[in-house]
Amino acid sequence: MKAHFRIRRFNPETNAKPYWQDFTLDNVAPADRVLELLHRIKWEQDGTLAFRRSCAHGVCGSDAMRINGRNMLACKVLVSSLAAEGAESVTIQVEPILGLPVIKDLIVDMEPFFAHYRAVMPYFVNNDPPPADGRERRQSPEERAIFDDSTKCILCAACTTSCPSFWANGSYVGPAAIVQAHRFIFDSRDQAAEQRLDILAAPDGVWRCRTIFNCTPACPREIEVTRAIGEVKLAIQMGAERMRARKMTRGGTE
Amino acid sequence: MHTHEFDIVVVGAGGAGLMAALYASQNLPGGKVAVISKLYPTRSHTGTAQGGIGAALGNLEEDHWEWHAFDTVKGGDYLSDQNAVRVLAQEAISAVIELEHLGLPFDRNPDGTISQRRFGGHTNNKTRQPVRRACHAADRTGHMILQTLYQQCIKNQITFFDEYHVMDQLLSDDGRTAGVVAIQIGTGELHVFRSKAVIWATGGWGRVWSVTSNAHSLTGDGPAILWRRGLPLEDMEFFQFHPTGLYGLGVLITEGVRGEGGVLLNGRGERFMERYAPTIKDLASRDVISRAIYLELKAGRGIGGKPYVHLDVTPKTVNRYLAEAGDSRRIDAATIHQKLPDILDFCKTYAGVDPVEQPIPVAPTAHYAMGGIPTNVDAEVLAAADGTIVPGLYAAGEVACVSVHGANRLGTNSLTDLIVFGRIAGKKAAEYARSADLPPLPPDPSGPVQAELDRLRTCKGGTRPGEIRRRMQETMMDHVGVFRTAEGIQAALATLRDLKAAFRDDLTLDDRGYRFNTDVLEAWELGALLDVAEVTAASALARQESRGAHSREDFPKRDDERFLVHTFATLVDGEIQLNHSRPVDLSLGYQPQERVY
Ligand SMILES: Cc1cc2nc3c(=O)[nH]c(=O)nc-3n(C[C@H](O)[C@H](O)[C@H](O)COP(=O)(O)OP(=O)(O)OC[C@H]3O[C@@H](n4cnc5c(N)ncnc54)[C@H](O)[C@@H]3O)c2cc1C
Ligand code: SF4
Ligand code: FES
């Protein structure tokens, strides 16, 4: 089939403002990934088109973009999911994710996003000496299960840049940073949960979340982002210890 | 041009680079350590590693580092240096425990210890049966390693230069490491990083081939840069084809699928590995299985005549074979959902297949570089086959050839390699930096890079880089892939020379700007790929034997008389020179034997 692309272009070196550019590709198959088609445009038609990518199978988080109005990883969207069944052609609109400054074409400045990430102590803290026998700290499969979902995050920013609260106020830490904090708050081996909860209880923390739910469908890793945020809110209210215990009794997928 | 000064510069922010950076900074109090990476660290390819990291923890059954060492040597078809394998297998245990202490969320056994699973080539040396040695965090072990190490780097306030692409290695007149040159991708500006020590950790180069599990960014920059500086590359002919890439795409389907009981079936529904590896069948080492698949396809036993076979992990099939083998284990849909969630997702997204209900279409995919920048067990880069080193230069991870993987890497041993030798590289570089001074920079340090970038930014020939890349990948896939012949390799070399000429004299690019010019960067990477492809083909032509991943149809047997040695390739006056004088280290006493699984 034919694919008609509308791509949001902007190169501050040469353009005064962003504009839309159209490209057409022939011989497009339903199983083609949008990333492959962007490569075809770049490699066959216009080498100036700029976008990030690396792994090409949805695990490195490089290529979150707004495709037909929704945040997705270009390498994880097949043409078939954008075209009507049996269609002769498909129209695909691609723009950069919203809420972060555009550097060029589909590439945004990720620094504000990573600054929020770094702000939530996204690292393991345990100041006790490790077990005397030189072996691993023990953790039961049940304790491990309650934070499994948030360990999957690849920091692609699809959630944060689909969030109206973040668009309205870029100082909100955003869903991705909260997911990262969740990963440690609910880890039985970690000792800094209360500090993280203090950070997230501040005005630019979790309470800016209005439960609009854009983040969860945006997540290419199928993390239940809104649920994770809700659990962090509850942990602030109940204390991390009690919230952890509650999640344990209700199972990993409360 | 900007100039920076550091004690140690790490190039690459995958598992090896981050581990090296953590150790370098811990062992150099008050010192300055920087990590330079062309990708944001968390985008590094380590994050895609699925199945596990090998270490003889013995959490579920008897295991010993010596067994791990023997399996590694046998898997490597006896080309592994046994002094290095000893370090790998011994230190694997403390390295995995250390990752756990750093917070890595491994899956757990009921007693709270780290969970382990079976993986190709890992055996109980007494019974020869598969042993559970692969420590895992679902099927995203590499993701967890990368995240955990990056998190710890943030905690330890390591300095990062994200999205800086290194393009040259600086050496002083007396041959010492003096730093690197990089382009800041966002602005196009050049930066010179002066340093006492440099640690290369840029990963692999699967993009030399057309079907690969490797990221677009894996373009062999590290080896190409050192090669152009006259340093040798070791055992480049050994590149692993993983047997189970998703058909058509090459996306990896981890061996963990077979570890959980999955089997390979041909077009007649036969479990053909019973014929090729009667003892451990579908868990034989990768080179063996990739060849078996090719032979099945060649004999017309693909699925419906197409060039792929089936990987079947449906509970129905798996349980039938387990029962036949008298194994009491059984799996159900929940096992697959719990242990292989990402694999389910890949199969559904990219092939429209649900592995719980249907078999997965697979074919071999270019996966892993056993060869690379030669190093000794202290991660020091060798200047020649006689073992002399380049002071201040280190390499670790997939880019390095130490050589633990020999002619064929065992699954789970790369992640182990990253952590073990990344750690050593960090420590040793710190030791060196403590006593070394900062060598003077050569005159006009960024001149050569500037000249090449200017050429690329203004070239006006008739050939697009995409065209050259495609032809290189196809010729390497056809002629320097799973099976090779002298004739085929020569044809590939001729094509590569044409392509290099086109790259030099007839290239055309569209983007003449500075800001995030990925047109120029991709072209530069293509230059690296072409160099690496040519060394690979030349090394493959000279090795007239079949060993591990290097399988010559015209020399089908292993030849220990002539080739129990490493290949060292060096660029001398524009010509590739090959040297086969470096013997394999056999210090663990594992003498070459016939390799049967
Ligand atoms: C799909 C897949 C699954 C795998 N599964 C397993 C497994 O289960 N177990 C196992 O043991 N192994 C596995 N492997 C192999 C293993 O993942 C890799 O060998 C390993 O992760 C390589 O790590 P590294 O640190 O050497 O390099 P990488 O993680 O590839 O990192 C390379 C780094 O170098 C940087 N870089 C590269 N060039 C430049 C440059 N010119 N300038 C600046 N920076 C640069 C990149 O930005 C990146 O940060 C798998 C591999 C693949 C592809
Ligand atoms: S939670 Fe999901 S959408 Fe958000 S950054 Fe992580 S992976 Fe991306
Ligand atoms: S390219 Fe890695 S997630 Fe798409």
Side-chain angles (χ1 to χ4, degrees), chain A residues 35 53-63 73 75 154:
Chain A
L35 179 65
R53 87 289 184 261
S54 185
C55 73
H57 65 283
V59 286
C60 79
S62 296
D63 59 342
L73 298 174
C75 66
I154 55 175

Side-chain angles (χ1 to χ4, degrees), chain B residues 196-220:
Chain B
K196 300 172 182 171
V198 171
I199 303 174
W200 284 92
T202 51
W205 45 92
R207 287 282 154 181
V208 160
W209 288 269
S210 54
V211 177
T212 179
S213 64
N214 282 196
H216 286 285
S217 54
L218 289 174
T219 49

